Amino acid sequence: MEFNQNNSATRFTSPLITTGNKAKVCMSHKEYFEKHRGRTNAILMGDNIEDRQMSVVVEEHSANVLTIGFLNDKVEDRLELYKSTFDIVILNDPDFGDIIEILKVIN
């Protein structure tokens, strides 16, 4: 996005990343992963099941990938799917306190 002097968004820039194309955009930027090849740990976070698809590219370049899913609505209907898709599932749109605690533990 581009912003004006008032810090208001004025237009979107390419590539426009959406839920439907996140994985494709991620795959088109493999140079980022090549540049950071020495980093073997990654955390992938998302609030949509499709966000997990990005891990395909991340896993090609990282030995250890921790996936965290945020489940904010239809929790009862979607919980089992999220649990089978992500390593950790965080419910009901909390602040990032849980993520900070996870990072402290794995640090």
Side-chain angles (χ1 to χ4, degrees):
M1 294 173 55
E2 289 185 6
F3 298 87
N4 64 18
Q5 64 274 15
N6 298 323
N7 208 26
S8 297
T10 58
R11 71 183 205 99
F12 291 101
T13 57
S14 293
L16 182 60
I17 301 172
T18 67
T19 300
N21 73 354
K22 285 179 186 178
K24 183 178 179 181
V25 171
C26 186
M27 285 187 245
S28 69
H29 288 86
K30 290 187 178 185
E31 67 277 358
Y32 171 85
F33 297 100
E34 292 298 325
K35 179 180 175 182
H36 299 287
R37 181 170 287 285
R39 297 181 180 182
T40 58
N41 301 313
I43 298 174
L44 185 135
M45 297 183 282
D47 63 352
N48 192 309
I49 285 293
E50 287 79 14
D51 292 338
R52 181 65 167 81
Q53 295 171 359
M54 290 185 294
S55 69
V56 171
V57 175
V58 176
E59 289 170 344
E60 284 180 21
H61 302 282
S62 300
N64 305 300
V65 179
L66 176 66
T67 60
I68 301 172
F70 298 95
L71 178 54
N72 302 318
D73 63 329
K74 300 181 183 175
V75 172
E76 192 172 299
D77 296 337
R78 298 177 176 167
L79 182 57
E80 290 307 314
L81 176 59
Y82 271 66
K83 286 169 62 176
S84 67
T85 303
F86 294 98
D87 298 316
I88 297 171
V89 178
I90 298 176
L91 305 177
N92 300 319
D93 204 20
D95 61 23
F96 264 61
D98 292 331
I99 301 301
I100 292 168
E101 291 303 314
I102 291 167
L103 293 174
K104 286 178 183 177
V105 169
I106 63 176
N107 185 11

